[in-house]
Amino acid sequence: MSLPVENEVRKTLDPFNGRIRAVLDKAFKDFIKKGAGNMYKRTDSADQFDGVIRAAIAEFTNAPGVIIFPTGSTARFLFDGKVLVRFKKASRKGRGSNIPTGANDNFLDPAIPFADAPQAMKVEICWKVNELGTGYDSVHVTARNGDGKLWSYEMPGGNQGIIEFPQKTAAPQPRRRSVAKLKDSAKNKKKGGEAS
C-alpha cells in the first residue's frame, strides 16, 4: 500500500479536476430541481451524497483512465491506476463526514490496501456545503490517517457553477370580463311615468 503523497495525487487528479467539479455542480443542480430543503439536514445530506455518486458514475463510466468500483453503499473511483477516490461531504473540520464502520475504517487507514487496487493511494474528495445547503463553497482533496488528516488541499477550479432555482410558472389568469353597465333608470323615465 502506498502512503498518499500530495504532489503525486495532485498530478494524477489534475486532468480530472474540471470533470470532478462538473459532477458536484450536476449533483447540486439536481438536488435543487428535486426540491431541496427536507425537514432534516441528514436527509438533505443523503440526497446530496446520492446525487454526487450518481453523477460521478455517469461522468466516469467508460472514461479513459478511470475504473469505478460500485460496491456497498458507495462507489470508489481509481484514477490512472494510482489514486483511489471516494466522495464525501466535509465535516466542520474539513474532513470527510463518516459513520464509523469497518469499511470506512479500512479506507481511512493508509496501511490497509484496497483489495482491487492494492498499490493505489486512497484519498477523499470532500465538498463543503454552503450556508443555505443548496451548493458547495469549496472542494478539498484529503488524505486521512484514521480520524486524523495527513494533508489536504483545495482543488483548483474556481467557484461552483451557477445554480438556477426552478421557477414555478403561475397558472395563466383568466381574462377579466368587462362588467355590463346597467342603464340608469332615471334617464329613461318619461315625465310622470315609469321607465319604459
Side-chain angles (χ1 to χ4, degrees), residues 73-89:
S73 60
T74 189
R76 293 163 190 86
F77 302 82
L78 181 64
F79 291 91
D80 283 341
K82 300 174 188 170
V83 178
L84 185 68
V85 164
R86 70 177 185 171
F87 289 89
K88 296 302 270 183
K89 175 186 170 189

Side-chain angles (χ1 to χ4, degrees), residues 16 53 70 83 96 154 164 167 176:
F16 301 99
I53 297 304
V83 178
E154 186 168 353
E164 295 182 17
Q167 301 292 323
R176 187 173 178 184

Side-chain angles (χ1 to χ4, degrees), residues 93-113:
K93 295 180 181 181
R95 300 182 306 222
S97 182
N98 302 297
I99 296 171
T101 64
N104 178 68
D105 294 346
N106 288 345
F107 191 89
L108 297 180
D109 187 340
I112 299 174

Side-chain angles (χ1 to χ4, degrees), residues 176-193:
R176 187 173 178 184
R177 300 177 86 187
S178 59
V179 178
K181 293 183 180 180
L182 298 176
K183 293 182 181 180
D184 185 358
S185 59
K187 288 183 182 178
N188 296 328
K189 284 187 181 179
K190 293 183 184 178
K191 289 183 184 179

Side-chain angles (χ1 to χ4, degrees), residues 5-167:
V5 178
E6 183 177 347
N7 63 349
E8 290 180 27
V9 170
R10 281 181 186 259
K11 185 177 176 182
T12 301
L13 293 181
D14 188 56
F16 301 99
N17 287 346
R19 293 179 78 178
I20 290 168
R21 284 190 173 267
V23 161
L24 295 171
D25 288 349
K26 177 168 183 10
F28 277 97
K29 284 178 186 174
D30 291 347
F31 176 67
I32 296 298
K33 284 180 189 172
K34 185 178 175 181
N38 292 296
M39 183 178 291
Y40 301 105
K41 285 186 179 183
R42 68 178 177 260
T43 308
D44 283 345
S45 293
D47 285 350
Q48 292 162 359
F49 177 77
D50 187 70
V52 168
I53 297 304
R54 287 175 187 273
I57 289 171
E59 178 70 27
F60 294 116
T61 294
N62 300 320
V66 183
I67 298 172
I68 303 171
F69 301 101
T71 58
S73 60
T74 189
R76 293 163 190 86
F77 302 82
L78 181 64
F79 291 91
D80 283 341
K82 300 174 188 170
V83 178
L84 185 68
V85 164
R86 70 177 185 171
F87 289 89
K88 296 302 270 183
K89 175 186 170 189
S91 68
R92 289 186 186 124
K93 295 180 181 181
R95 300 182 306 222
S97 182
N98 302 297
I99 296 171
T101 64
N104 178 68
D105 294 346
N106 288 345
F107 191 89
L108 297 180
D109 187 340
I112 299 174
F114 182 66
D116 293 320
Q119 296 305 312
M121 297 177 282
K122 300 183 291 186
V123 297
E124 294 178 322
I125 294 178
C126 305
W127 66 90
K128 285 189 177 182
V129 176
N130 66 19
E131 287 186 30
L132 298 175
T134 57
Y136 63 91
D137 286 330
S138 61
V139 181
H140 296 263
V141 177
T142 304
R144 300 281 298 272
N145 185 8
D147 286 337
K149 181 167 54 173
L150 295 172
W151 51 261
S152 183
Y153 69 87
E154 186 168 353
M155 181 176 278
N159 295 333
Q160 174 183 7
I162 295 173
I163 294 179
E164 295 182 17
F165 288 87
Q167 301 292 323

